[in-house]
Amino acid sequence: MPECTMIEAIRMALSRALKEDPDVIIFGEDVGIDGGVFRATDGLTQRYGASRVRDTPLSETAIAGMAVGAAAHGLRPVAEIQFTGFLYPALDQLANHASRLRNRTRGRLTCPLVLRAPYGGGIKAPEHHSESTEAMLAHIPGLRVVIPSSPARAYGLLLAAIRDPDPVVFFEPKRLYRAIREPVEDDGMALPINKAVLLREGADVTLVAWGAMITEANEAADQLAEMGISADLIDLASLKPLDRGTIRSSVEKTGRCVIVHEAPLTAGLGAEIAADLAEHCMTSLLAPIRRVTGFDTVMPYFRLEAHYMPDAARILKAVHNVMEFA
Amino acid sequence: MPIQADHELSGVTVFLDPAGLPVLDLPRFARHRETLVALYSAMVRTRTFDAKAISLQRTGRLGTYASSLGQEAVAVGIASAMSDEDVLLPSFREHGAQLWRGVSLEEMFLFWGGDERGNDFAVARQDFPVCIPVASQFPHAAGVALAMVQKGEPGVAVAVGGDGATSKGDFYEALNMVGIWTLPAVFVIANNQWAISVPRVDQTRARALADKAVAAGIPGEQVDGNDVIAVREAIERALVRARSGKGGTLIECLTYRLGDHTTADDASRYRADEEVSSHWSEEPLVRLRAYLVAHHGWAKKDEEALLHGCRDQIEKAAEAYLATPPQPVRSMFEYLYADPTQDQAAQAGELGDA
Ligand SMILES: Cc1ncc(C[n+]2csc(CCOP(=O)(O)OP(=O)(O)O)c2C)c(N)n1
Ligand SMILES: [Mg+2]
């Protein structure tokens, strides 16, 4: 099986989708001849034609709105927003239309679109290129929100997103685009987009993370293992809908939970997970739930970026804190 | 691809042709040697800054950087026409305008080096910082202009964006407001023929970007954006018009992006080298230098002294930038609100004394 990076896996999934379904089209800024600023669509316009892999003018509102119209009228648009920081003009279309069309028409019109965007920090990018806005999207009823954390999951989850009958926001942790290689079979197999993935099993604490924070959490888990503390590590993968069952059963086993996300603390998705555990697993909890997150500030310009990003050291501190509690 | 100008449509204002030959009587300001030398020097300084920024980026000492190579006349032409009481709202490629307005080289390096202090200009305190979300500065400019009207101030808001920016709703919506409320705003489009990999023809089928003014009911015009005299002259007229209460103007400056989109881009993926080399003959410095040589005795030693002076200044600024320690980590909490929230204070506490 060939080893590939996440960006290659994404390209492979896009290519597979274009090949297997003539209704799939891709559009966005610079996705054509340039192959996308991260090269996710490299070579696709040459291979599938400029009518199926289209450069748009600089128009996020139109990109999202056209995806809605095209999806409702039978295409499977996979639209790209160049960075999550430029997604805001598309929110009107996502919140007011993509997410509601099925409901408004009692199922007559639907919106099977995918909106992809490079997401998160960690690459010293300029201002507005490093945001983590998943909670804002996950708060919109009717949208799915998916974030892969490895090449293989990127491949399988993206195929699932494209085949899903409802609108999916697919955020790609750009810090991981080229950071990890793993074998990925181009077999057209989708992964479920309503399931979290248990990446490692332990007994003492549950770590919940997604996207690039999986790498940090995994490193923390390695270090904990050396100290004799074993962790369940859950990759949420699908943030909306949330696989509450997997998280609950892990915490029922370990009794402790540390949630990690790059987005700011307040009203982040960690809050929803913590509330769910408080509601459903109170009797299993041995210690307070801890969140290790970005701070309640904007991503600082990159000279201070590393201080904003949660890392293994901060995760370890939180785990020690809950282990000391009980 | 030739520069997309439609002469039949509106006529492109140009004073100096690419060889530096006057094709029209020069405007009054351009009859003075000092003025022309100042314009030329500002363009050379901008280009020297650009080269230094790129070399710092290549050696890991600056972040992703957007070069203004080939577009110096747009930036310098705009700023040189403006008064102190006007407000500049740039995109991310108007280094020459920011420098003319008084933003320091060190501040510019700090900004591109990932340090917010680069936006805390010591002068030009009302100017807006670089705007990265494309076209979102245009509504701000309409708002600044509104505030000027309400307060009875004489200033004009001048916003600059690229050809790509004209495709966004923000641009149209702001232009419409300028028209409907007769606001003292000048919108400048630096049409450098490319929006990353998307050429001007694929941005809009409008024959000229300046024609977008028609929909807003304000004047629009095209100028040769590689002729600093033409840019300045057009902006000056627009500023006079705005100041006299007649409202806004849209000015499209036809220029060319000679470099990559940014240091993170590789333009050879999507545009032919021949296209780029053909535009080198039209770039803005050569023509003004030729004119200065022919008409104002600009000598080799003048040129050398200028280059030397610019390099010296820029090296010093770069050294000062590189010697500037990062801000304290806590600074990330200190400016978001007038008074940091309790949550923030608690989180800053977690950072310890960093
Ligand atoms: C709203 C938004 N979408 C996408 C981007 C990414 N991006 C940065 S510059 C650029 C192209 C801008 O083209 P143009 O307006 O012509 O300005 P130029 O870069 O040529 O100066 C794009 C797509 C952005 N910064 N903002
Ligand atoms: Mg452009």
Side-chain angles (χ1 to χ4, degrees), chain B residues 1-3 194 256-258 267-282:
Chain B
M1 196 188 62
I3 281 186
W194 290 90
Y256 191 81
R257 196 192 83 206
L258 288 170
S268 70
R269 291 175 63 85
Y270 53 79
R271 79 179 177 181
D273 288 348
E274 302 82 74
E275 181 191 307
V276 181
S277 28
S278 75
H279 283 285
W280 268 101
S281 62
E282 295 165 0

PDB file of all heavy atoms in Angstrom, chain B residues 1-3 194 256-258 267-282:
ATOM      1  N   MET B   1      -0.439  37.753 -21.793  1.00  0.00           N
ATOM      2  CA  MET B   1      -1.708  38.496 -21.805  1.00  0.00           C
ATOM      3  C   MET B   1      -1.421  39.992 -21.699  1.00  0.00           C
ATOM      4  O   MET B   1      -0.724  40.417 -20.783  1.00  0.00           O
ATOM      5  CB  MET B   1      -2.554  38.052 -20.614  1.00  0.00           C
ATOM      6  CG  MET B   1      -3.986  38.454 -20.743  1.00  0.00           C
ATOM      7  SD  MET B   1      -4.882  38.112 -19.213  1.00  0.00           S
ATOM      8  CE  MET B   1      -4.030  39.162 -18.058  1.00  0.00           C
ATOM      9  N   PRO B   2      -1.961  40.781 -22.603  1.00  0.00           N
ATOM     10  CA  PRO B   2      -1.721  42.216 -22.513  1.00  0.00           C
ATOM     11  C   PRO B   2      -2.506  42.804 -21.345  1.00  0.00           C
ATOM     12  O   PRO B   2      -3.472  42.210 -20.892  1.00  0.00           O
ATOM     13  CB  PRO B   2      -2.265  42.747 -23.836  1.00  0.00           C
ATOM     14  CG  PRO B   2      -3.319  41.762 -24.227  1.00  0.00           C
ATOM     15  CD  PRO B   2      -2.883  40.430 -23.685  1.00  0.00           C
ATOM     16  N   ILE B   3      -2.085  43.944 -20.903  1.00  0.00           N
ATOM     17  CA  ILE B   3      -2.844  44.630 -19.861  1.00  0.00           C
ATOM     18  C   ILE B   3      -4.246  44.895 -20.391  1.00  0.00           C
ATOM     19  O   ILE B   3      -4.433  45.318 -21.522  1.00  0.00           O
ATOM     20  CB  ILE B   3      -2.135  45.939 -19.450  1.00  0.00           C
ATOM     21  CG1 ILE B   3      -0.986  45.583 -18.519  1.00  0.00           C
ATOM     22  CG2 ILE B   3      -3.102  46.902 -18.787  1.00  0.00           C
ATOM     23  CD1 ILE B   3      -0.278  46.764 -17.924  1.00  0.00           C
ATOM     24  N   TRP B 194      -3.646  39.755 -11.945  1.00  0.00           N
ATOM     25  CA  TRP B 194      -3.735  38.422 -11.362  1.00  0.00           C
ATOM     26  C   TRP B 194      -4.278  38.486  -9.948  1.00  0.00           C
ATOM     27  O   TRP B 194      -3.972  39.419  -9.203  1.00  0.00           O
ATOM     28  CB  TRP B 194      -2.353  37.746 -11.321  1.00  0.00           C
ATOM     29  CG  TRP B 194      -1.854  37.382 -12.686  1.00  0.00           C
ATOM     30  CD1 TRP B 194      -1.098  38.172 -13.516  1.00  0.00           C
ATOM     31  CD2 TRP B 194      -2.115  36.163 -13.402  1.00  0.00           C
ATOM     32  NE1 TRP B 194      -0.871  37.513 -14.700  1.00  0.00           N
ATOM     33  CE2 TRP B 194      -1.479  36.277 -14.655  1.00  0.00           C
ATOM     34  CE3 TRP B 194      -2.815  34.996 -13.097  1.00  0.00           C
ATOM     35  CZ2 TRP B 194      -1.524  35.257 -15.613  1.00  0.00           C
ATOM     36  CZ3 TRP B 194      -2.864  33.981 -14.038  1.00  0.00           C
ATOM     37  CH2 TRP B 194      -2.224  34.118 -15.285  1.00  0.00           C
ATOM     38  N   TYR B 256       1.021  45.581 -13.163  1.00  0.00           N
ATOM     39  CA  TYR B 256       1.324  44.167 -13.352  1.00  0.00           C
ATOM     40  C   TYR B 256       2.124  43.642 -12.164  1.00  0.00           C
ATOM     41  O   TYR B 256       3.071  44.282 -11.717  1.00  0.00           O
ATOM     42  CB  TYR B 256       2.118  43.959 -14.658  1.00  0.00           C
ATOM     43  CG  TYR B 256       2.217  42.496 -15.018  1.00  0.00           C
ATOM     44  CD1 TYR B 256       1.162  41.853 -15.652  1.00  0.00           C
ATOM     45  CD2 TYR B 256       3.345  41.756 -14.665  1.00  0.00           C
ATOM     46  CE1 TYR B 256       1.231  40.498 -15.941  1.00  0.00           C
ATOM     47  CE2 TYR B 256       3.417  40.400 -14.950  1.00  0.00           C
ATOM     48  CZ  TYR B 256       2.357  39.780 -15.586  1.00  0.00           C
ATOM     49  OH  TYR B 256       2.420  38.439 -15.860  1.00  0.00           O
ATOM     50  N   ARG B 257       1.726  42.480 -11.690  1.00  0.00           N
ATOM     51  CA  ARG B 257       2.431  41.846 -10.574  1.00  0.00           C
ATOM     52  C   ARG B 257       3.643  41.103 -11.130  1.00  0.00           C
ATOM     53  O   ARG B 257       3.499  40.023 -11.687  1.00  0.00           O
ATOM     54  CB  ARG B 257       1.476  40.862  -9.875  1.00  0.00           C
ATOM     55  CG  ARG B 257       1.930  40.406  -8.491  1.00  0.00           C
ATOM     56  CD  ARG B 257       1.090  39.220  -8.014  1.00  0.00           C
ATOM     57  NE  ARG B 257       1.616  37.991  -8.560  1.00  0.00           N
ATOM     58  CZ  ARG B 257       0.904  36.871  -8.777  1.00  0.00           C
ATOM     59  NH1 ARG B 257      -0.384  36.834  -8.487  1.00  0.00           N
ATOM     60  NH2 ARG B 257       1.476  35.802  -9.276  1.00  0.00           N
ATOM     61  N   LEU B 258       4.815  41.697 -10.999  1.00  0.00           N
ATOM     62  CA  LEU B 258       6.006  41.065 -11.585  1.00  0.00           C
ATOM     63  C   LEU B 258       6.506  39.884 -10.759  1.00  0.00           C
ATOM     64  O   LEU B 258       7.219  39.019 -11.271  1.00  0.00           O
ATOM     65  CB  LEU B 258       7.127  42.099 -11.742  1.00  0.00           C
ATOM     66  CG  LEU B 258       6.913  43.143 -12.858  1.00  0.00           C
ATOM     67  CD1 LEU B 258       7.964  44.245 -12.763  1.00  0.00           C
ATOM     68  CD2 LEU B 258       6.943  42.497 -14.238  1.00  0.00           C
ATOM     69  N   ALA B 267       4.483  31.263  -8.999  1.00  0.00           N
ATOM     70  CA  ALA B 267       3.664  31.710 -10.131  1.00  0.00           C
ATOM     71  C   ALA B 267       3.987  30.960 -11.414  1.00  0.00           C
ATOM     72  O   ALA B 267       3.192  30.978 -12.363  1.00  0.00           O
ATOM     73  CB  ALA B 267       3.827  33.223 -10.334  1.00  0.00           C
ATOM     74  N   SER B 268       5.136  30.278 -11.449  1.00  0.00           N
ATOM     75  CA  SER B 268       5.474  29.554 -12.686  1.00  0.00           C
ATOM     76  C   SER B 268       4.500  28.397 -12.918  1.00  0.00           C
ATOM     77  O   SER B 268       4.426  27.850 -14.009  1.00  0.00           O
ATOM     78  CB  SER B 268       6.912  29.032 -12.621  1.00  0.00           C
ATOM     79  OG  SER B 268       6.990  27.980 -11.681  1.00  0.00           O
ATOM     80  N   ARG B 269       3.728  28.050 -11.903  1.00  0.00           N
ATOM     81  CA  ARG B 269       2.725  26.996 -12.077  1.00  0.00           C
ATOM     82  C   ARG B 269       1.581  27.426 -12.981  1.00  0.00           C
ATOM     83  O   ARG B 269       0.883  26.595 -13.542  1.00  0.00           O
ATOM     84  CB  ARG B 269       2.131  26.588 -10.724  1.00  0.00           C
ATOM     85  CG  ARG B 269       3.092  25.860  -9.815  1.00  0.00           C
ATOM     86  CD  ARG B 269       2.445  25.606  -8.455  1.00  0.00           C
ATOM     87  NE  ARG B 269       1.284  24.748  -8.536  1.00  0.00           N
ATOM     88  CZ  ARG B 269       1.317  23.422  -8.531  1.00  0.00           C
ATOM     89  NH1 ARG B 269       2.474  22.803  -8.435  1.00  0.00           N
ATOM     90  NH2 ARG B 269       0.208  22.715  -8.608  1.00  0.00           N
ATOM     91  N   TYR B 270       1.341  28.736 -13.035  1.00  0.00           N
ATOM     92  CA  TYR B 270       0.141  29.167 -13.748  1.00  0.00           C
ATOM     93  C   TYR B 270       0.333  30.328 -14.722  1.00  0.00           C
ATOM     94  O   TYR B 270      -0.602  30.742 -15.382  1.00  0.00           O
ATOM     95  CB  TYR B 270      -0.977  29.510 -12.749  1.00  0.00           C
ATOM     96  CG  TYR B 270      -0.554  30.502 -11.667  1.00  0.00           C
ATOM     97  CD1 TYR B 270      -0.478  31.862 -11.944  1.00  0.00           C
ATOM     98  CD2 TYR B 270      -0.232  30.070 -10.387  1.00  0.00           C
ATOM     99  CE1 TYR B 270      -0.093  32.763 -10.967  1.00  0.00           C
ATOM    100  CE2 TYR B 270       0.153  30.970  -9.395  1.00  0.00           C
ATOM    101  CZ  TYR B 270       0.222  32.307  -9.692  1.00  0.00           C
ATOM    102  OH  TYR B 270       0.608  33.198  -8.733  1.00  0.00           O
ATOM    103  N   ARG B 271       1.517  30.890 -14.787  1.00  0.00           N
ATOM    104  CA  ARG B 271       1.680  31.930 -15.810  1.00  0.00           C
ATOM    105  C   ARG B 271       3.045  31.823 -16.478  1.00  0.00           C
ATOM    106  O   ARG B 271       4.022  31.430 -15.851  1.00  0.00           O
ATOM    107  CB  ARG B 271       1.388  33.331 -15.249  1.00  0.00           C
ATOM    108  CG  ARG B 271       2.460  33.947 -14.458  1.00  0.00           C
ATOM    109  CD  ARG B 271       2.097  35.351 -13.961  1.00  0.00           C
ATOM    110  NE  ARG B 271       3.205  35.821 -13.131  1.00  0.00           N
ATOM    111  CZ  ARG B 271       3.252  36.965 -12.508  1.00  0.00           C
ATOM    112  NH1 ARG B 271       2.235  37.804 -12.590  1.00  0.00           N
ATOM    113  NH2 ARG B 271       4.303  37.311 -11.792  1.00  0.00           N
ATOM    114  N   ALA B 272       3.028  32.164 -17.756  1.00  0.00           N
ATOM    115  CA  ALA B 272       4.216  31.940 -18.567  1.00  0.00           C
ATOM    116  C   ALA B 272       5.286  32.989 -18.276  1.00  0.00           C
ATOM    117  O   ALA B 272       4.980  34.164 -18.067  1.00  0.00           O
ATOM    118  CB  ALA B 272       3.831  32.000 -20.047  1.00  0.00           C
ATOM    119  N   ASP B 273       6.529  32.548 -18.272  1.00  0.00           N
ATOM    120  CA  ASP B 273       7.644  33.466 -18.066  1.00  0.00           C
ATOM    121  C   ASP B 273       7.650  34.591 -19.095  1.00  0.00           C
ATOM    122  O   ASP B 273       7.979  35.730 -18.782  1.00  0.00           O
ATOM    123  CB  ASP B 273       8.983  32.714 -18.169  1.00  0.00           C
ATOM    124  CG  ASP B 273       9.215  31.818 -16.965  1.00  0.00           C
ATOM    125  OD1 ASP B 273       8.454  31.969 -15.974  1.00  0.00           O
ATOM    126  OD2 ASP B 273      10.119  30.971 -17.019  1.00  0.00           O
ATOM    127  N   GLU B 274       7.255  34.218 -20.324  1.00  0.00           N
ATOM    128  CA  GLU B 274       7.287  35.246 -21.394  1.00  0.00           C
ATOM    129  C   GLU B 274       6.336  36.382 -21.072  1.00  0.00           C
ATOM    130  O   GLU B 274       6.618  37.545 -21.358  1.00  0.00           O
ATOM    131  CB  GLU B 274       6.881  34.658 -22.758  1.00  0.00           C
ATOM    132  CG  GLU B 274       7.727  33.491 -23.239  1.00  0.00           C
ATOM    133  CD  GLU B 274       7.289  32.168 -22.609  1.00  0.00           C
ATOM    134  OE1 GLU B 274       6.236  31.643 -23.016  1.00  0.00           O
ATOM    135  OE2 GLU B 274       7.992  31.672 -21.703  1.00  0.00           O
ATOM    136  N   GLU B 275       5.196  36.029 -20.485  1.00  0.00           N
ATOM    137  CA  GLU B 275       4.252  37.084 -20.136  1.00  0.00           C
ATOM    138  C   GLU B 275       4.894  38.040 -19.136  1.00  0.00           C
ATOM    139  O   GLU B 275       4.830  39.262 -19.276  1.00  0.00           O
ATOM    140  CB  GLU B 275       2.975  36.483 -19.531  1.00  0.00           C
ATOM    141  CG  GLU B 275       1.980  37.573 -19.183  1.00  0.00           C
ATOM    142  CD  GLU B 275       0.795  37.102 -18.339  1.00  0.00           C
ATOM    143  OE1 GLU B 275       0.129  36.136 -18.747  1.00  0.00           O
ATOM    144  OE2 GLU B 275       0.536  37.741 -17.302  1.00  0.00           O
ATOM    145  N   VAL B 276       5.553  37.459 -18.134  1.00  0.00           N
ATOM    146  CA  VAL B 276       6.167  38.285 -17.104  1.00  0.00           C
ATOM    147  C   VAL B 276       7.270  39.142 -17.721  1.00  0.00           C
ATOM    148  O   VAL B 276       7.329  40.357 -17.505  1.00  0.00           O
ATOM    149  CB  VAL B 276       6.725  37.413 -15.960  1.00  0.00           C
ATOM    150  CG1 VAL B 276       7.339  38.292 -14.879  1.00  0.00           C
ATOM    151  CG2 VAL B 276       5.622  36.525 -15.381  1.00  0.00           C
ATOM    152  N   SER B 277       8.122  38.522 -18.540  1.00  0.00           N
ATOM    153  CA  SER B 277       9.234  39.323 -19.080  1.00  0.00           C
ATOM    154  C   SER B 277       8.735  40.434 -19.985  1.00  0.00           C
ATOM    155  O   SER B 277       9.301  41.519 -20.005  1.00  0.00           O
ATOM    156  CB  SER B 277      10.293  38.459 -19.765  1.00  0.00           C
ATOM    157  OG  SER B 277       9.742  37.293 -20.277  1.00  0.00           O
ATOM    158  N   SER B 278       7.617  40.191 -20.674  1.00  0.00           N
ATOM    159  CA  SER B 278       7.114  41.259 -21.544  1.00  0.00           C
ATOM    160  C   SER B 278       6.676  42.471 -20.726  1.00  0.00           C
ATOM    161  O   SER B 278       6.712  43.600 -21.201  1.00  0.00           O
ATOM    162  CB  SER B 278       5.959  40.745 -22.411  1.00  0.00           C
ATOM    163  OG  SER B 278       4.793  40.633 -21.627  1.00  0.00           O
ATOM    164  N   HIS B 279       6.283  42.240 -19.486  1.00  0.00           N
ATOM    165  CA  HIS B 279       5.834  43.371 -18.670  1.00  0.00           C
ATOM    166  C   HIS B 279       6.977  44.130 -18.003  1.00  0.00           C
ATOM    167  O   HIS B 279       6.769  45.225 -17.488  1.00  0.00           O
ATOM    168  CB  HIS B 279       4.826  42.897 -17.626  1.00  0.00           C
ATOM    169  CG  HIS B 279       3.472  42.653 -18.225  1.00  0.00           C
ATOM    170  ND1 HIS B 279       2.640  43.693 -18.585  1.00  0.00           N
ATOM    171  CD2 HIS B 279       2.835  41.517 -18.560  1.00  0.00           C
ATOM    172  CE1 HIS B 279       1.541  43.188 -19.107  1.00  0.00           C
ATOM    173  NE2 HIS B 279       1.627  41.872 -19.115  1.00  0.00           N
ATOM    174  N   TRP B 280       8.154  43.532 -18.018  1.00  0.00           N
ATOM    175  CA  TRP B 280       9.282  44.257 -17.431  1.00  0.00           C
ATOM    176  C   TRP B 280       9.560  45.557 -18.178  1.00  0.00           C
ATOM    177  O   TRP B 280      10.078  46.517 -17.610  1.00  0.00           O
ATOM    178  CB  TRP B 280      10.534  43.368 -17.401  1.00  0.00           C
ATOM    179  CG  TRP B 280      10.640  42.620 -16.095  1.00  0.00           C
ATOM    180  CD1 TRP B 280      10.320  41.323 -15.866  1.00  0.00           C
ATOM    181  CD2 TRP B 280      11.073  43.155 -14.831  1.00  0.00           C
ATOM    182  NE1 TRP B 280      10.527  41.010 -14.537  1.00  0.00           N
ATOM    183  CE2 TRP B 280      10.997  42.112 -13.880  1.00  0.00           C
ATOM    184  CE3 TRP B 280      11.520  44.411 -14.409  1.00  0.00           C
ATOM    185  CZ2 TRP B 280      11.344  42.282 -12.532  1.00  0.00           C
ATOM    186  CZ3 TRP B 280      11.873  44.571 -13.063  1.00  0.00           C
ATOM    187  CH2 TRP B 280      11.779  43.524 -12.147  1.00  0.00           C
ATOM    188  N   SER B 281       9.210  45.605 -19.452  1.00  0.00           N
ATOM    189  CA  SER B 281       9.491  46.830 -20.209  1.00  0.00           C
ATOM    190  C   SER B 281       8.544  47.967 -19.816  1.00  0.00           C
ATOM    191  O   SER B 281       8.765  49.112 -20.181  1.00  0.00           O
ATOM    192  CB  SER B 281       9.360  46.544 -21.701  1.00  0.00           C
ATOM    193  OG  SER B 281       8.020  46.155 -21.961  1.00  0.00           O
ATOM    194  N   GLU B 282       7.496  47.641 -19.082  1.00  0.00           N
ATOM    195  CA  GLU B 282       6.523  48.685 -18.721  1.00  0.00           C
ATOM    196  C   GLU B 282       6.615  49.098 -17.264  1.00  0.00           C
ATOM    197  O   GLU B 282       5.810  49.888 -16.789  1.00  0.00           O
ATOM    198  CB  GLU B 282       5.102  48.156 -18.984  1.00  0.00           C
ATOM    199  CG  GLU B 282       4.824  47.895 -20.446  1.00  0.00           C
ATOM    200  CD  GLU B 282       3.574  47.040 -20.651  1.00  0.00           C
ATOM    201  OE1 GLU B 282       2.941  46.654 -19.644  1.00  0.00           O
ATOM    202  OE2 GLU B 282       3.258  46.761 -21.806  1.00  0.00           O
TER     203      GLU B 282
END
